[in-house]
């Protein structure tokens, strides 16, 4: 129960009654507890997914539908020489030399066709050959890659 009380003053300025409002907050409390449990579960699942993505042998980079970088694991950070400031940046602004490359062509095709693509290509700015796997998602696209130089 949630209880609010307040005095009711008479013409003389003295309290003559007490006003009490009682509300049953059982459903609101239950909803709040369920929302809190769901938030904890989502955090637990996010931590589990992060642990998996950090432990994979692949570099992982995720972009949204507007090509903004939303995630990368430590392997991608090292291989592509990124830092945390790259989150939220446009992929093609981070890698301007690749805006018309095979990477861009394959990624754009995968996003438009909503199909997975796999290919190997030389990443000239880094001087390495990459094995790429691009997988479109409802939010954008996940890129899995490794140095095969």
């Amino acid at each position: 129960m949630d209880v609010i009380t307040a005095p009711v003053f008479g013409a003389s300025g003295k309290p003559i009654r007490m006003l009490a409002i009682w509300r049953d907050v059982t459903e609101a409390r239950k909803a709040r507890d369920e929302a809190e449990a769901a938030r904890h579960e989502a955090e637990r699942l996010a931590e589990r997914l992060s642990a998996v993505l950090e432990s994979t042998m692949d570099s992982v980079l995720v972009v949204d539908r507007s090509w903004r970088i939303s995630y990368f694991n430590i392997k991608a950070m090292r291989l592509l020489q990124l830092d945390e400031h790259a989150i939220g940046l446009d992929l093609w602004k981070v890698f301007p030399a690749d805006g018309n490359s095979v990477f861009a062509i394959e990624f754009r095709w995968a996003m438009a066709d909503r199909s997975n693509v796999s290919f190997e290509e030389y990443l000239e700015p880094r001087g390495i050959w990459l094995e790429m796997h691009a997988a479109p998602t409802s939010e954008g696209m996940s890129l899995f890659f490794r140095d095969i130089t």
Side-chain angles (χ1 to χ4, degrees), residues 3 7 13 28 30 34 36 45 63 74 79 85 87 90 98 105 114 119 121 123 129 133:
V3 180
K30 181 179 175 187
E34 288 172 357
E36 184 69 15
L45 291 173
V63 295
I74 192 77
L79 186 66
H85 296 98
I87 298 293
D90 184 288
D98 295 307
I105 292 166
R114 311 274 309 136
F119 62 96
E121 185 60 35
L123 182 62
W129 279 91
H133 301 278

Side-chain angles (χ1 to χ4, degrees), residues 94-109:
V94 174
F95 300 104
D98 295 307
N100 293 315
S101 70
V102 171
F103 294 100
I105 292 166
E106 293 287 345
F107 296 164
R108 288 183 178 122
W109 181 84

Side-chain angles (χ1 to χ4, degrees), residues 5-20:
T5 60
V8 176
F9 297 97
S12 67
K14 294 186 179 197
I16 58 170
R17 291 192 190 115
M18 188 61 115
L19 174 66

Side-chain angles (χ1 to χ4, degrees), residues 4-144:
I4 300 171
T5 60
V8 176
F9 297 97
S12 67
K14 294 186 179 197
I16 58 170
R17 291 192 190 115
M18 188 61 115
L19 174 66
I21 301 172
W22 297 59
R23 292 185 307 153
D24 181 353
V25 294
T26 304
E27 291 300 316
R29 176 114 185 182
K30 181 179 175 187
R32 187 187 74 204
D33 291 346
E34 288 172 357
E36 184 69 15
R39 184 182 66 77
H40 283 298
E41 178 66 7
E43 288 174 355
R44 188 185 69 75
L45 291 173
E47 287 174 10
R48 181 203 263 161
L49 178 59
S50 180
V52 168
L53 292 176
E54 290 301 329
S55 67
T56 183
M57 296 301 293
D58 286 339
S59 296
V60 180
L61 186 133
V62 179
V63 295
D64 67 15
R65 303 227 16 102
S66 298
W67 300 101
R68 288 185 305 265
I69 298 170
S70 58
Y71 171 84
F72 51 83
N73 68 0
I74 192 77
K75 288 179 180 66
M77 182 178 84
R78 290 180 181 147
L79 186 66
L80 300 177
Q81 299 171 1
L82 299 171
D83 65 25
E84 65 276 355
H85 296 98
I87 298 293
L89 297 179
D90 184 288
L91 179 69
W92 308 119
K93 289 185 180 167
V94 174
F95 300 104
D98 295 307
N100 293 315
S101 70
V102 171
F103 294 100
I105 292 166
E106 293 287 345
F107 296 164
R108 288 183 178 122
W109 181 84
M111 188 87 81
D113 195 52
R114 311 274 309 136
S115 299
N116 293 354
V117 297
S118 296
F119 62 96
E120 296 174 2
E121 185 60 35
Y122 186 68
L123 182 62
E124 189 162 338
R126 302 290 181 255
I128 56 176
W129 279 91
L130 294 178
E131 176 185 356
M132 297 292 310
H133 301 278
T137 67
S138 59
E139 293 85 26
M141 187 160 40
S142 298
L143 307 171
F144 302 87

